[in-house]
Amino acid sequence: MSEFAGKSLLALLEVGTLSINLQRKRREMKLKRLALMIAASLLLVMQSEAVIAQSAYRIQPGDVLQLDVLQDSSLNQKLLVLPDGTVNVPMVGTISAAGQTVEELRAAMTKDLSPSFSVKPTVYLSVAALAPKQVSTVGAAGRQIPIYIMGEVTKPGQADVSRGTTLIQALAISGGFTNFAAKTRIELVRQDSAGHQQVYTFNFENMLSGTQSSPVVLKPGDVIIVPQRNLFE
């Protein structure tokens, strides 16, 4: 075989190899595009199912809602649905939430917030966490009691704790404070036998140091509120 023929054969082989590689890359790109399309379709289906589920869901005590207001980010926060079915909305106050759908409550919040804005606010509302399922305490002598923790803690919401749990232990269960917590005026809201609310205020540092007279033992339905600290607090 002449040198020219050998080079020509080598060139043909190189062209053939490049063609095969190009076809392989094209197939790989098509497969990747197909995989991305399938993943996107599945994501859309999952999102649609989540939207449908939330649109039909009725809010319950113990649920944690996420509130976001486009025009004022300082209002963005998690809201705990209290045992009486209400939520405390900034700039509005206490409104009824239990039994409503997310959209119904969002519309009510938008209406109540509107007087505080020059234009109608854009309000987003979703269920951040569902109330824990109630576990039967038959045979356990009712050792678990429900309490509620809200405000500037890492894990707000309803918690089932053992009887005898103290206020400071419940704060530990909540995952600790956020950077904006007012630790000197933690509130404990408790209903007496007549249904009247009593609000007690505590200083976390005093609880830690033991200067408080005795540990505060929680009762069923107690609500712990850790407020946001003031600018110079």
Side-chain angles (χ1 to χ4, degrees), residues 16-79:
T17 302
L18 288 173
S19 177
I20 292 171
N21 290 337
L22 183 59
Q23 290 177 5
R24 184 182 297 123
K25 288 181 179 179
R26 285 176 177 172
R27 284 198 298 269
E28 290 175 353
M29 290 178 65
K30 286 181 179 179
L31 289 173
K32 287 181 180 179
R33 284 198 294 267
L34 180 60
L36 288 173
M37 290 173 63
I38 293 173
S41 299
L42 289 174
L43 181 60
L44 286 174
V45 170
M46 292 171 64
Q47 288 177 338
S48 299
E49 289 177 347
V51 170
I52 292 171
Q54 288 222 4
S55 66
Y57 178 73
R58 297 283 173 177
I59 296 168
Q60 302 177 37
D63 287 347
V64 178
L65 309 177
Q66 177 63 49
L67 171 67
D68 294 286
V69 181
L70 184 62
Q71 287 78 9
D72 189 350
S73 61
S74 67
L75 302 179
N76 300 349
Q77 58 186 271
K78 287 182 170 60
L79 305 175

Side-chain angles (χ1 to χ4, degrees), residues 120-139:
K120 184 179 179 180
T122 304
V123 178
Y124 299 99
L125 187 68
S126 62
V127 179
L130 296 175
K133 292 182 179 179
Q134 297 298 319
V135 180
S136 174
T137 54
V138 175

Side-chain angles (χ1 to χ4, degrees), residues 50-223:
V51 170
I52 292 171
Q54 288 222 4
S55 66
Y57 178 73
R58 297 283 173 177
I59 296 168
Q60 302 177 37
D63 287 347
V64 178
L65 309 177
Q66 177 63 49
L67 171 67
D68 294 286
V69 181
L70 184 62
Q71 287 78 9
D72 189 350
S73 61
S74 67
L75 302 179
N76 300 349
Q77 58 186 271
K78 287 182 170 60
L79 305 175
L80 173 66
V81 184
L82 298 177
D84 62 0
T86 63
V87 291
N88 188 23
V89 182
M91 296 178 64
V92 172
T94 301
I95 65 174
S96 178
Q100 298 189 62
T101 65
V102 173
E103 177 55 30
E104 288 171 345
L105 184 57
R106 187 201 66 79
M109 289 181 176
T110 301
K111 180 181 177 181
D112 291 341
L113 283 168
S114 291
S116 301
F117 292 85
S118 57
V119 295
K120 184 179 179 180
T122 304
V123 178
Y124 299 99
L125 187 68
S126 62
V127 179
L130 296 175
K133 292 182 179 179
Q134 297 298 319
V135 180
S136 174
T137 54
V138 175
R143 288 193 291 267
Q144 297 288 313
I145 62 171
I147 64 166
Y148 302 84
I149 309 171
M150 57 188 297
E152 297 299 326
V153 292
T154 304
K155 296 186 293 184
Q158 179 184 334
D160 292 326
V161 299
S162 302
R163 289 187 180 274
T165 297
T166 65
L167 174 58
I168 196 168
Q169 288 172 334
L171 290 170
I173 292 170
S174 72
F177 302 108
T178 70
N179 294 331
F180 306 101
K183 302 178 185 178
T184 60
R185 46 188 179 91
I186 297 169
E187 297 178 354
L188 174 64
V189 182
R190 174 175 291 171
Q191 283 194 346
D192 59 25
S193 57
H196 301 132
Q197 279 193 349
Q198 300 289 332
V199 180
Y200 307 91
T201 304
F202 301 93
N203 185 315
F204 182 70
E205 297 300 331
N206 292 343
M207 287 191 288
L208 279 182
S209 64
T211 55
Q212 189 172 294
S213 57
S214 60
V216 179
V217 178
L218 299 176
K219 295 182 178 181
D222 278 354
V223 179

Side-chain angles (χ1 to χ4, degrees), residues 8-20:
S8 298
L9 179 59
L10 181 60
L12 287 172
L13 289 174
E14 289 178 347
V15 169
T17 302
L18 288 173
S19 177
I20 292 171

